Amino acid sequence: MEATTFIISVALSALLHHSLALRPNLDNSTDQNALLSFKFHVTSDPIGVLDTWNQNSSICTWHGVLCSSTKNRVTGLTLANMTLTAAMSPYITNLSFLRVLDLKDNNYHGTIPVEIGKLRRLETLILASNNIDGMIPSSLSGCSRLKVIDLSENHLEGTIPSELGNLLILQDLSFAKNNLTGLIPSSLGNLSFLRTLGLKSNYLHGPIPVELGRLNTLLQLHIGDNHVSGEVPSSIFNLSSLIFMIFAKNELSGHLPSNLFTALPSLTNLLLGSNLFQGNIPTSFPNATNLLRVDFSNNQYSGLVPSLWNLHNLSFLNFEINQLVSEGEHGLHFITSLTNLTFLQVFSVASNHFTGMFPSSIANLSGQLTMLVMGGNHFEGNIPEGIGNLGSLTQLSLESNSLSGKIPSTIVNLQNLFLDFNFLSGSIPKSLGNLSQLYEMGLSRNNFTGTIPSRLSNCQHLQFLDLSMNGLIGKIPK
């Protein structure tokens, strides 16, 4: 009997040992030490978000800490928008099971530790809207599981590491609003799953790499506000999935293909302002039915603007500072076509070479229109009384034209009114004194006569008023 009991005891002991061997290692002391070191670097925690971080409780109950359900190891650290002030801690790289690191919108400073490349399981890295400086460590390429990198709105400098082209499952990459220099690496063309590439507001220069045309899943391409130059590679216009294409404020040149909007049928935002583009507006423009915002401003576009009847969703349209014309009987027909755009809020054709009678169809534009900017052209005729139908209009800029007649008394709600350098005449409507939100008004160098309305004193927000070079009498109301 004793022998049997001994055998059973040995068997149970062996079974228990085997069972313990199979159980996951629940020791998370390494993670705890890493988090406490991370907390040590925090110099300001005004809302006490880290008060729960103490050794008397499980780290998996600490605010912002996520743990795996099986191994009890830290898999996520999410402390976005917690007003923390801290130096970037190298000890964060000891969280070897970390998959998500989100410290967005705090006051972290210092450099990104080179050791971050040791986080082999990291999938999401969000450090946006902090005060992080230094260079982007090339060791990030060691985090081969990364899908999201957002380092935007910091003070990063130096170049974009070409090694990031090895992150083959990366989907979203943003370095926007930093101080980065150098070229856009051609290796980014290897990121075949990339959906968003955000590089705007840096100091990048050189050409757009032709290799970016291989990013067949790309939805958003933001490289605005840099010093990127040269022509846009034709391969970019093969990215039929593109929704956002933002190239504004660069030194890009050349012609856009006439089939641009049929090649990129999903475009909702096309911002090309402040470059060196030339040639005609693409003839496919009227087919871009998904467009919401279009900016062709401050380039060298010439020729006619096509009719835009089908752009039902458009809310922002800017052609200003180009060399566009309105020759022929139907040269201004595109303005009449805008009456079909019921969501239009901003429309500008300022500083072009448009001629002819000021279109009366302006009065039929969208009731949502807030800005109408048509100065610096050669429009003639009267401002239609029906412009008062535009009840949401806050800015009307028609300066430097050849307009005549009177100011419509129907104008309402304006905050900014610029009619300088025209041939307008008659008296200044007393109704302008009803514009309680009026902030700036320029009526100089016209042919106005009569008395300056005393009711202008009702415009309590008025900061700028120019009535010079007219035939007006009286004092400007204070």
Side-chain angles (χ1 to χ4, degrees), residues 326-345:
S326 56
E327 298 172 350
E329 182 181 356
H330 301 293
L332 293 176
H333 190 63
F334 78 96
I335 292 180
T336 301
S337 72
L338 299 181
T339 60
N340 211 33
L341 279 54
T342 56
F343 296 106
L344 191 63
Q345 297 178 24

Side-chain angles (χ1 to χ4, degrees), residues 72-265:
N72 219 33
R73 300 298 298 271
V74 174
T75 58
L77 184 56
T78 58
L79 294 170
N81 195 27
M82 294 298 174
T83 64
L84 297 172
T85 299
M88 288 297 296
S89 169
Y91 297 100
I92 199 72
T93 60
N94 290 337
L95 299 173
S96 55
F97 283 79
L98 197 65
R99 293 201 299 267
V100 177
L101 177 59
D102 184 359
L103 304 178
K104 180 180 179 180
D105 200 8
N106 283 287
N107 188 25
Y108 278 91
H109 52 85
T111 61
I112 301 172
V114 174
E115 297 86 354
I116 198 167
K118 296 191 298 184
L119 297 176
R120 306 297 184 185
R121 294 176 172 86
L122 194 63
E123 299 175 4
T124 299
L125 175 63
I126 303 177
L127 303 177
S129 301
N130 281 284
N131 288 301
I132 300 169
D133 54 24
M135 302 180 71
I136 301 170
S138 59
S139 59
L140 262 181
S141 61
C143 306
S144 59
R145 298 185 186 181
L146 271 171
K147 295 180 181 178
V148 177
I149 299 177
D150 186 356
L151 306 182
S152 60
E153 297 188 54
N154 280 287
H155 305 291
L156 296 168
E157 56 190 15
T159 60
I160 300 173
S162 60
E163 291 86 349
L164 299 185
N166 296 324
L167 299 174
L168 298 182
I169 63 172
L170 195 65
Q171 297 177 8
D172 298 285
L173 175 63
S174 180
F175 298 140
K177 297 185 179 180
N178 279 285
N179 300 313
L180 299 174
T181 56
L183 304 175
I184 300 174
S186 60
S187 61
L188 298 184
N190 298 332
L191 307 178
S192 56
F193 291 95
L194 202 64
R195 300 176 304 186
T196 301
L197 179 58
L199 304 177
K200 69 177 182 179
S201 300
N202 280 284
Y203 298 95
L204 302 171
H205 66 268
I208 298 174
V210 65
E211 290 83 0
L212 296 188
R214 301 201 300 254
L215 303 177
N216 293 322
T217 61
L218 196 64
L219 302 177
Q220 302 185 36
L221 178 57
H222 298 260
I223 61 172
D225 194 15
N226 280 283
H227 300 290
V228 179
S229 58
E231 297 191 9
V232 179
S234 59
S235 60
I236 297 297
F237 302 118
N238 294 326
L239 300 177
S240 58
S241 58
L242 272 180
I243 296 175
F244 283 68
M245 188 161 74
I246 301 179
F247 295 163
K249 296 183 180 178
N250 278 289
E251 298 160 22
L252 295 166
S253 58
H255 295 69
L256 296 176
S258 60
N259 69 337
L260 170 67
F261 296 98
T262 51
L264 304 178

Side-chain angles (χ1 to χ4, degrees), residues 346-361:
V346 175
F347 174 56
S348 178
V349 291
S351 300
N352 278 282
H353 302 303
F354 293 116
T355 58
M357 300 299 290
F358 190 76
S360 59
S361 57

Side-chain angles (χ1 to χ4, degrees), residues 176-429:
K177 297 185 179 180
N178 279 285
N179 300 313
L180 299 174
T181 56
L183 304 175
I184 300 174
S186 60
S187 61
L188 298 184
N190 298 332
L191 307 178
S192 56
F193 291 95
L194 202 64
R195 300 176 304 186
T196 301
L197 179 58
L199 304 177
K200 69 177 182 179
S201 300
N202 280 284
Y203 298 95
L204 302 171
H205 66 268
I208 298 174
V210 65
E211 290 83 0
L212 296 188
R214 301 201 300 254
L215 303 177
N216 293 322
T217 61
L218 196 64
L219 302 177
Q220 302 185 36
L221 178 57
H222 298 260
I223 61 172
D225 194 15
N226 280 283
H227 300 290
V228 179
S229 58
E231 297 191 9
V232 179
S234 59
S235 60
I236 297 297
F237 302 118
N238 294 326
L239 300 177
S240 58
S241 58
L242 272 180
I243 296 175
F244 283 68
M245 188 161 74
I246 301 179
F247 295 163
K249 296 183 180 178
N250 278 289
E251 298 160 22
L252 295 166
S253 58
H255 295 69
L256 296 176
S258 60
N259 69 337
L260 170 67
F261 296 98
T262 51
L264 304 178
S266 300
L267 273 183
T268 63
N269 288 260
L270 176 65
L271 306 183
L272 306 176
S274 299
N275 278 285
L276 302 171
F277 290 116
Q278 56 186 298
N280 295 334
I281 303 296
T283 55
S284 57
F285 189 23
N287 301 321
T289 55
N290 291 315
L291 279 174
L292 302 176
R293 296 191 303 158
V294 179
D295 183 8
F296 289 113
S297 68
N298 199 11
N299 279 283
Q300 300 171 17
Y301 290 112
S302 57
L304 300 171
V305 179
S307 294
L308 306 173
W309 291 104
N310 296 323
L311 306 189
H312 304 289
N313 299 310
L314 202 62
S315 65
F316 181 98
L317 179 59
N318 191 353
F319 289 118
E320 67 186 24
I321 314 178
N322 279 288
Q323 300 166 24
L324 298 168
V325 298
S326 56
E327 298 172 350
E329 182 181 356
H330 301 293
L332 293 176
H333 190 63
F334 78 96
I335 292 180
T336 301
S337 72
L338 299 181
T339 60
N340 211 33
L341 279 54
T342 56
F343 296 106
L344 191 63
Q345 297 178 24
V346 175
F347 174 56
S348 178
V349 291
S351 300
N352 278 282
H353 302 303
F354 293 116
T355 58
M357 300 299 290
F358 190 76
S360 59
S361 57
I362 286 291
N364 299 320
L365 294 183
S366 167
Q368 298 188 38
L369 193 70
T370 60
M371 294 181 63
L372 179 60
V373 184
M374 303 177 70
N377 285 286
H378 307 285
F379 291 116
E380 302 175 37
N382 298 340
I383 304 172
E385 285 285 333
I387 204 165
N389 297 332
L390 306 178
S392 299
L393 200 64
T394 59
Q395 178 170 335
L396 177 62
S397 299
L398 304 177
E399 72 281 0
S400 300
N401 279 289
S402 298
L403 299 173
S404 56
K406 298 181 178 182
I407 298 176
S409 59
T410 55
I411 290 175
V412 295
N413 296 333
L414 285 181
Q415 297 176 10
N416 299 282
L417 174 62
F418 301 106
L419 301 175
D420 313 79
F421 292 88
N422 278 286
F423 300 104
L424 298 169
S425 59
S427 59
I428 296 176

